Amino acid sequence: MRSKELLLDTMWEVLQRECLPKSLECCQILPSGLGEKLGDVAALTVAAYGMDREKKQGINL
């Protein structure tokens, strides 16, 4: 969100080069609905994944 003006041109160049044209026509590129909380959610997801992995391996911290 903060750096979209730095990323948009390159993003579209890569999408046009890498995507099938019909597939790209069907896509919409939208800002994250999480806004500035995206990093918080990502950190919590990594922590939850780590806790689940430890539980499956029988590791107690």
Side-chain angles (χ1 to χ4, degrees), residues 4-18:
K4 71 178 181 180
E5 64 278 346
L6 299 174
L7 301 172
L8 279 179
D9 290 340
T10 303
M11 177 194 72
W12 282 113
E13 287 175 20
V14 172
L15 286 171
Q16 290 171 347
R17 184 177 64 235
E18 299 289 333

Side-chain angles (χ1 to χ4, degrees), residues 34 37-53:
L34 295 172
K37 295 180 181 175
L38 178 63
D40 298 341
V41 173
L44 290 170
T45 302
V46 169
Y49 173 79
M51 290 173 57
D52 185 55
R53 187 171 173 212

Side-chain angles (χ1 to χ4, degrees), residues 4 7-8 11-12 15 19 23-32:
K4 71 178 181 180
L7 301 172
L8 279 179
M11 177 194 72
W12 282 113
L15 286 171
C19 295
S23 295
L24 186 56
E25 286 177 21
C26 297
C27 292
Q28 270 188 306
I29 308 296
L30 303 170
S32 169

